[in-house]
Amino acid sequence: MSAVAQLRSPSPAREPALDLIDLARSKAPDDRRRLLLGVVALCEAAPPNTALAPALAEIFLTLAAQAERDIRRLLSERLAAADWAPPSLINMLARDEIEIAAPVIAASPLLQDADLIRILLETTLEHQIAVARRPHLSHGVVEAIVDQADPVTMTALASNRTADISDAAMRRLIEHSRRIAGLRAPLTRHPRLNADLAHDLYQWVGQALRQSIGERFKIDDARLNAAVREAAAKAVHSPTWRPLQPTGRNADRERQEMEKRLVDKLQAAGQLRPGILIRALREQRLSLFEQALVQLGGFTPAQVRSAIHSSTAEPLYLACTAVGLDRAVFANVLSEVRKLTDGRPGGGAWSATPMNSRSAARAFRQIMERTAIV
């Protein structure tokens, strides 16, 4: 029987402890796979106690890292509902390729809110969708998804009927439905939709969805339409009326506040890490990059903005080094920042002098102080 077939089998043959010891001494790939399967089978038969947990985690992480892709996928399926598995292994599988990660993201009881939020921030869109679909999603993770404001992930969340979506989060989703048509249908069917929220959603949906809302809630369609027409007429004839710009100052301010809330939540959960800087730039969210850099480094918003718009890349290099970003990736960071800022910071070179984060933070603040004096 192959290793994959053994892992798929509901009751694999248990290997004696001595056989497992012999396998552990072997470096052959097939023996490594058999060892992994044997350890899983033993743990399923008799879940390990707390004292064995650290050693078990190290064994699993070592073996899983050496396992083939198909083995990791089936291992994820096997451990998805296990409450005895090492949390570090579950987190490793949850951040693997989505085909491997999906089972544990959907079902593992060992993934905490902080783990799920980190997955939202540091993995692919497919991983984010899997988190949004996870049954009985907590209020904190729901808020993190809404704060990110990704249309596809929010639509997956709106289709999750067991998620703990508060009235405030529902209202924010309904507001997003003004521009994201895909949100409207799942929101009309969501059990957390109440009469007040339905009235707001009613304004943005088409006739078919209005009928669906009308079947659940008592809404006077004629009265609502008259109120909307009256409000629109008053606004157009007002001397201060201006057409609404979807990317105007109000939208920018709202996005900045939303991203600041996301960064604050990550900081409070102890999950704010330098990786969010890469993620923010990859998604072309300069404001999120700025907010995260401010919080990670304990800098002021003015200092970070000054570094980004400086005539040289040196201040930004120091700020990124100060928060623990690997200097090997700074060239890519700088390139992405310049794409979002019309070429700022200026200058092509920076002093890639090896220094620890504390020294870099001190040098960054000294530069900012000199700049402020000048």
Side-chain angles (χ1 to χ4, degrees):
M1 182 182 294
S2 69
V4 172
Q6 289 179 51
L7 187 54
R8 185 180 286 114
S9 173
S11 55
R14 298 192 190 95
E15 298 190 61
L18 290 178
D19 289 344
L20 293 181
I21 293 173
D22 289 339
L23 290 173
R25 294 192 181 106
S26 172
K27 296 186 181 298
D30 189 58
D31 286 343
R32 288 290 179 180
R33 290 195 294 271
R34 291 176 60 205
L35 177 60
L36 177 61
L37 304 180
V39 174
V40 170
L42 285 178
C43 290
E44 286 180 332
N49 59 38
T50 305
L52 289 176
L56 181 67
E58 185 175 351
I59 291 171
F60 266 120
L61 289 171
T62 301
L63 296 177
Q66 298 170 352
E68 298 171 358
R69 181 179 181 277
D70 286 346
I71 295 293
R72 299 199 311 276
R73 176 174 58 81
L74 293 170
L75 180 64
S76 176
E77 293 174 359
R78 186 82 160 258
L79 299 181
D83 59 3
W84 55 262
S88 53
L89 173 64
I90 295 299
N91 271 279
M92 185 189 82
L93 293 171
R95 296 160 63 82
D96 209 321
E97 300 174 40
I98 186 58
E99 291 80 7
I100 297 169
V104 293
I105 291 178
S108 177
L110 300 174
L111 287 176
Q112 304 299 311
D113 285 1
D115 301 322
L116 295 170
I117 292 173
R118 187 176 179 187
I119 292 170
L120 286 172
L121 286 168
E122 298 181 359
T123 55
T124 69
L125 178 60
E126 288 79 9
H127 288 75
Q128 297 171 45
I129 293 170
V131 170
R133 291 173 174 168
R134 179 179 166 97
H136 306 290
L137 208 58
S138 74
H139 171 71
V141 181
V142 166
E143 289 290 326
I145 292 172
V146 180
D147 284 344
Q148 283 192 292
D150 178 82
V152 178
T153 311
M154 287 194 299
T155 301
L157 174 64
S159 302
N160 185 345
R161 298 195 173 195
T162 64
D164 184 10
I165 305 179
S166 66
D167 286 353
M170 281 292 291
R171 194 173 299 280
R172 291 173 65 192
L173 287 171
I174 289 170
E175 184 63 26
H176 282 300
S177 74
R178 296 178 62 178
R179 62 181 180 84
I180 305 172
L183 272 173
R184 298 167 189 168
L187 285 174
T188 62
R189 297 188 291 267
H190 202 283
R192 296 298 179 96
L193 185 70
N194 58 37
D196 289 339
L197 295 170
H199 192 278
D200 294 339
L201 179 61
Y202 199 78
Q203 302 177 55
W204 317 126
V205 300
Q207 189 58 43
L209 292 180
R210 285 190 173 196
Q211 181 178 352
S212 177
I213 293 175
E215 291 173 355
R216 289 183 60 189
F217 305 99
K218 186 177 180 180
I219 294 179
D220 188 335
D221 189 61
R223 179 181 176 186
L224 178 64
N225 287 336
V228 171
R229 287 195 299 270
E230 181 181 356
K234 288 181 179 179
V236 169
H237 291 96
S238 169
T240 60
W241 178 82
R242 294 290 185 276
L244 179 63
Q245 299 298 324
T247 58
R249 185 175 300 174
N250 288 338
D252 290 340
R253 185 181 300 112
E254 180 182 348
R255 181 168 58 254
Q256 289 172 5
E257 292 175 353
M258 176 184 66
E259 289 172 344
K260 185 177 186 305
R261 287 196 300 269
L262 175 60
V263 170
D264 289 343
K265 287 177 182 177
L266 288 171
Q267 178 75 358
Q271 292 297 315
L272 186 63
R273 293 178 171 84
I276 191 176
L277 300 175
I278 307 296
R279 173 71 180 278
L281 294 176
R282 190 169 65 225
E283 296 181 354
Q284 299 184 353
R285 297 166 69 178
L286 182 62
S287 175
L288 179 58
F289 176 85
E290 292 178 357
Q291 297 282 358
L293 190 54
V294 165
Q295 191 70 268
L296 284 165
F299 307 133
T300 68
Q303 287 174 333
V304 169
R305 284 193 296 270
S306 178
I308 289 174
H309 296 281
S310 173
S311 60
T312 173
E314 185 75 13
L316 184 58
Y317 169 73
L318 291 172
C320 290
T321 302
V323 301
L325 198 68
D326 192 327
R327 60 178 179 165
V329 303
F330 179 71
N332 290 332
V333 168
L334 179 60
S335 175
E336 294 300 321
V337 169
R338 284 173 171 167
K339 289 178 185 178
L340 301 175
T341 57
D342 296 326
R344 307 296 285 188
W350 62 93
S351 302
T353 305
M355 62 176 68
N356 59 36
S357 59
R358 184 175 301 177
S359 298
R362 184 167 56 250
F364 172 75
R365 290 188 171 90
Q366 288 173 348
I367 289 178
M368 291 297 101
E369 288 173 2
R370 289 199 300 269
T371 303
I373 292 174
V374 174

